[in-house]
PDB file of all heavy atoms in Angstrom:
ATOM      1  N   ARG T 452     -88.363  91.396 -75.774  1.00  0.00           N
ATOM      2  CA  ARG T 452     -89.700  91.670 -75.264  1.00  0.00           C
ATOM      3  C   ARG T 452     -90.479  90.306 -75.182  1.00  0.00           C
ATOM      4  O   ARG T 452     -91.202  90.087 -74.263  1.00  0.00           O
ATOM      5  CB  ARG T 452     -90.449  92.661 -76.193  1.00  0.00           C
ATOM      6  CG  ARG T 452     -91.738  93.067 -75.584  1.00  0.00           C
ATOM      7  CD  ARG T 452     -92.297  94.179 -76.445  1.00  0.00           C
ATOM      8  NE  ARG T 452     -93.692  94.516 -75.963  1.00  0.00           N
ATOM      9  CZ  ARG T 452     -93.884  95.273 -74.875  1.00  0.00           C
ATOM     10  NH1 ARG T 452     -92.863  95.718 -74.137  1.00  0.00           N
ATOM     11  NH2 ARG T 452     -95.086  95.615 -74.500  1.00  0.00           N
ATOM     12  N   LEU T 455     -90.137  88.694 -71.964  1.00  0.00           N
ATOM     13  CA  LEU T 455     -90.731  89.294 -70.809  1.00  0.00           C
ATOM     14  C   LEU T 455     -92.285  89.160 -70.800  1.00  0.00           C
ATOM     15  O   LEU T 455     -92.861  89.300 -69.712  1.00  0.00           O
ATOM     16  CB  LEU T 455     -90.410  90.789 -70.790  1.00  0.00           C
ATOM     17  CG  LEU T 455     -88.989  91.242 -70.580  1.00  0.00           C
ATOM     18  CD1 LEU T 455     -88.851  92.651 -70.842  1.00  0.00           C
ATOM     19  CD2 LEU T 455     -88.468  90.797 -69.223  1.00  0.00           C
ATOM     20  N   LEU T 456     -92.800  88.833 -71.910  1.00  0.00           N
ATOM     21  CA  LEU T 456     -94.282  88.736 -71.951  1.00  0.00           C
ATOM     22  C   LEU T 456     -94.701  87.366 -71.682  1.00  0.00           C
ATOM     23  O   LEU T 456     -94.163  86.398 -72.158  1.00  0.00           O
ATOM     24  CB  LEU T 456     -94.736  89.156 -73.313  1.00  0.00           C
ATOM     25  CG  LEU T 456     -94.541  90.697 -73.658  1.00  0.00           C
ATOM     26  CD1 LEU T 456     -94.847  90.874 -75.148  1.00  0.00           C
ATOM     27  CD2 LEU T 456     -95.330  91.540 -72.832  1.00  0.00           C
ATOM     28  N   LEU T 457     -95.730  87.271 -70.836  1.00  0.00           N
ATOM     29  CA  LEU T 457     -96.286  85.944 -70.694  1.00  0.00           C
ATOM     30  C   LEU T 457     -97.789  86.047 -70.943  1.00  0.00           C
ATOM     31  O   LEU T 457     -98.541  86.799 -70.327  1.00  0.00           O
ATOM     32  CB  LEU T 457     -96.123  85.570 -69.236  1.00  0.00           C
ATOM     33  CG  LEU T 457     -96.678  84.191 -68.850  1.00  0.00           C
ATOM     34  CD1 LEU T 457     -96.030  83.055 -69.697  1.00  0.00           C
ATOM     35  CD2 LEU T 457     -96.498  83.890 -67.380  1.00  0.00           C
ATOM     36  N   GLN T 458     -98.238  85.321 -71.955  1.00  0.00           N
ATOM     37  CA  GLN T 458     -99.633  85.402 -72.231  1.00  0.00           C
ATOM     38  C   GLN T 458    -100.411  84.522 -71.315  1.00  0.00           C
ATOM     39  O   GLN T 458     -99.953  83.405 -71.037  1.00  0.00           O
ATOM     40  CB  GLN T 458     -99.843  84.759 -73.696  1.00  0.00           C
ATOM     41  CG  GLN T 458     -99.109  85.467 -74.801  1.00  0.00           C
ATOM     42  CD  GLN T 458     -99.743  86.740 -75.325  1.00  0.00           C
ATOM     43  OE1 GLN T 458    -100.786  87.103 -74.882  1.00  0.00           O
ATOM     44  NE2 GLN T 458     -99.151  87.433 -76.283  1.00  0.00           N
ATOM     45  N   VAL T 459    -101.438  85.051 -70.747  1.00  0.00           N
ATOM     46  CA  VAL T 459    -102.237  84.221 -69.820  1.00  0.00           C
ATOM     47  C   VAL T 459    -103.687  84.286 -70.266  1.00  0.00           C
ATOM     48  O   VAL T 459    -104.184  85.168 -70.860  1.00  0.00           O
ATOM     49  CB  VAL T 459    -102.083  84.815 -68.383  1.00  0.00           C
ATOM     50  CG1 VAL T 459    -100.696  84.663 -67.852  1.00  0.00           C
ATOM     51  CG2 VAL T 459    -102.591  86.245 -68.301  1.00  0.00           C
ATOM     52  N   HIS T 466    -103.504  85.648 -80.282  1.00  0.00           N
ATOM     53  CA  HIS T 466    -102.562  86.499 -79.616  1.00  0.00           C
ATOM     54  C   HIS T 466    -101.597  87.254 -80.676  1.00  0.00           C
ATOM     55  O   HIS T 466    -101.270  88.425 -80.420  1.00  0.00           O
ATOM     56  CB  HIS T 466    -101.589  85.677 -78.789  1.00  0.00           C
ATOM     57  CG  HIS T 466    -102.351  85.099 -77.610  1.00  0.00           C
ATOM     58  ND1 HIS T 466    -101.930  84.029 -76.893  1.00  0.00           N
ATOM     59  CD2 HIS T 466    -103.457  85.506 -76.993  1.00  0.00           C
ATOM     60  CE1 HIS T 466    -102.798  83.735 -75.896  1.00  0.00           C
ATOM     61  NE2 HIS T 466    -103.729  84.594 -75.970  1.00  0.00           N
ATOM     62  N   GLN T 469    -103.599  90.084 -81.879  1.00  0.00           N
ATOM     63  CA  GLN T 469    -104.278  90.827 -80.871  1.00  0.00           C
ATOM     64  C   GLN T 469    -105.673  91.104 -81.207  1.00  0.00           C
ATOM     65  O   GLN T 469    -106.199  92.264 -81.113  1.00  0.00           O
ATOM     66  CB  GLN T 469    -103.474  92.071 -80.553  1.00  0.00           C
ATOM     67  CG  GLN T 469    -102.116  91.829 -80.006  1.00  0.00           C
ATOM     68  CD  GLN T 469    -102.157  91.335 -78.553  1.00  0.00           C
ATOM     69  OE1 GLN T 469    -102.471  92.155 -77.654  1.00  0.00           O
ATOM     70  NE2 GLN T 469    -101.888  90.049 -78.372  1.00  0.00           N
ATOM     71  N   TRP T 478    -110.342  90.951 -75.049  1.00  0.00           N
ATOM     72  CA  TRP T 478    -109.031  91.029 -75.605  1.00  0.00           C
ATOM     73  C   TRP T 478    -108.152  90.054 -74.808  1.00  0.00           C
ATOM     74  O   TRP T 478    -108.378  89.777 -73.675  1.00  0.00           O
ATOM     75  CB  TRP T 478    -108.490  92.409 -75.390  1.00  0.00           C
ATOM     76  CG  TRP T 478    -109.069  93.418 -76.334  1.00  0.00           C
ATOM     77  CD1 TRP T 478    -110.175  94.171 -76.157  1.00  0.00           C
ATOM     78  CD2 TRP T 478    -108.583  93.717 -77.658  1.00  0.00           C
ATOM     79  NE1 TRP T 478    -110.465  94.922 -77.257  1.00  0.00           N
ATOM     80  CE2 TRP T 478    -109.464  94.657 -78.193  1.00  0.00           C
ATOM     81  CE3 TRP T 478    -107.566  93.291 -78.557  1.00  0.00           C
ATOM     82  CZ2 TRP T 478    -109.326  95.186 -79.519  1.00  0.00           C
ATOM     83  CZ3 TRP T 478    -107.435  93.741 -79.732  1.00  0.00           C
ATOM     84  CH2 TRP T 478    -108.325  94.746 -80.225  1.00  0.00           C
ATOM     85  N   PRO T 479    -107.150  89.548 -75.480  1.00  0.00           N
ATOM     86  CA  PRO T 479    -106.195  88.606 -74.755  1.00  0.00           C
ATOM     87  C   PRO T 479    -105.515  89.450 -73.669  1.00  0.00           C
ATOM     88  O   PRO T 479    -105.149  90.647 -73.959  1.00  0.00           O
ATOM     89  CB  PRO T 479    -105.255  88.108 -75.867  1.00  0.00           C
ATOM     90  CG  PRO T 479    -105.319  89.060 -76.913  1.00  0.00           C
ATOM     91  CD  PRO T 479    -106.674  89.669 -76.848  1.00  0.00           C
ATOM     92  N   MET T 480    -105.229  88.874 -72.563  1.00  0.00           N
ATOM     93  CA  MET T 480    -104.539  89.587 -71.503  1.00  0.00           C
ATOM     94  C   MET T 480    -103.056  89.308 -71.583  1.00  0.00           C
ATOM     95  O   MET T 480    -102.613  88.204 -71.907  1.00  0.00           O
ATOM     96  CB  MET T 480    -105.028  89.122 -70.101  1.00  0.00           C
ATOM     97  CG  MET T 480    -106.452  89.520 -69.807  1.00  0.00           C
ATOM     98  SD  MET T 480    -107.029  88.817 -68.332  1.00  0.00           S
ATOM     99  CE  MET T 480    -105.902  89.425 -67.185  1.00  0.00           C
ATOM    100  N   ILE T 481    -102.299  90.333 -71.291  1.00  0.00           N
ATOM    101  CA  ILE T 481    -100.814  90.184 -71.266  1.00  0.00           C
ATOM    102  C   ILE T 481    -100.331  90.595 -69.889  1.00  0.00           C
ATOM    103  O   ILE T 481    -100.747  91.630 -69.429  1.00  0.00           O
ATOM    104  CB  ILE T 481    -100.207  91.071 -72.345  1.00  0.00           C
ATOM    105  CG1 ILE T 481    -100.599  90.579 -73.794  1.00  0.00           C
ATOM    106  CG2 ILE T 481     -98.674  90.964 -72.316  1.00  0.00           C
ATOM    107  CD1 ILE T 481    -100.165  91.462 -74.908  1.00  0.00           C
ATOM    108  N   ALA T 482     -99.565  89.798 -69.298  1.00  0.00           N
ATOM    109  CA  ALA T 482     -99.089  90.137 -67.924  1.00  0.00           C
ATOM    110  C   ALA T 482     -97.563  89.993 -67.826  1.00  0.00           C
ATOM    111  O   ALA T 482     -96.925  89.277 -68.647  1.00  0.00           O
ATOM    112  CB  ALA T 482     -99.752  89.186 -66.937  1.00  0.00           C
ATOM    113  N   TYR T 483     -97.019  90.785 -67.035  1.00  0.00           N
ATOM    114  CA  TYR T 483     -95.602  90.747 -66.714  1.00  0.00           C
ATOM    115  C   TYR T 483     -95.392  89.988 -65.363  1.00  0.00           C
ATOM    116  O   TYR T 483     -96.145  90.267 -64.485  1.00  0.00           O
ATOM    117  CB  TYR T 483     -94.976  92.116 -66.613  1.00  0.00           C
ATOM    118  CG  TYR T 483     -95.029  92.920 -67.928  1.00  0.00           C
ATOM    119  CD1 TYR T 483     -95.960  93.761 -68.111  1.00  0.00           C
ATOM    120  CD2 TYR T 483     -93.887  92.671 -68.794  1.00  0.00           C
ATOM    121  CE1 TYR T 483     -95.946  94.543 -69.318  1.00  0.00           C
ATOM    122  CE2 TYR T 483     -93.932  93.396 -69.965  1.00  0.00           C
ATOM    123  CZ  TYR T 483     -94.913  94.286 -70.268  1.00  0.00           C
ATOM    124  OH  TYR T 483     -94.856  95.071 -71.423  1.00  0.00           O
ATOM    125  N   PHE T 484     -94.427  89.182 -65.356  1.00  0.00           N
ATOM    126  CA  PHE T 484     -94.101  88.538 -64.074  1.00  0.00           C
ATOM    127  C   PHE T 484     -92.684  88.624 -63.727  1.00  0.00           C
ATOM    128  O   PHE T 484     -91.873  88.869 -64.621  1.00  0.00           O
ATOM    129  CB  PHE T 484     -94.521  87.046 -64.123  1.00  0.00           C
ATOM    130  CG  PHE T 484     -96.006  86.871 -64.129  1.00  0.00           C
ATOM    131  CD1 PHE T 484     -96.781  86.735 -65.299  1.00  0.00           C
ATOM    132  CD2 PHE T 484     -96.702  86.897 -62.900  1.00  0.00           C
ATOM    133  CE1 PHE T 484     -98.072  86.547 -65.276  1.00  0.00           C
ATOM    134  CE2 PHE T 484     -98.063  86.658 -62.945  1.00  0.00           C
ATOM    135  CZ  PHE T 484     -98.803  86.519 -64.102  1.00  0.00           C
TER     136      PHE T 484
END
Side-chain angles (χ1 to χ4, degrees):
R452 188 171 176 80
L455 293 174
L456 292 173
L457 180 62
Q458 304 275 2
V459 294
H466 292 158
Q469 295 286 289
W478 287 90
M480 290 173 61
I481 297 175
Y483 293 98
F484 289 93

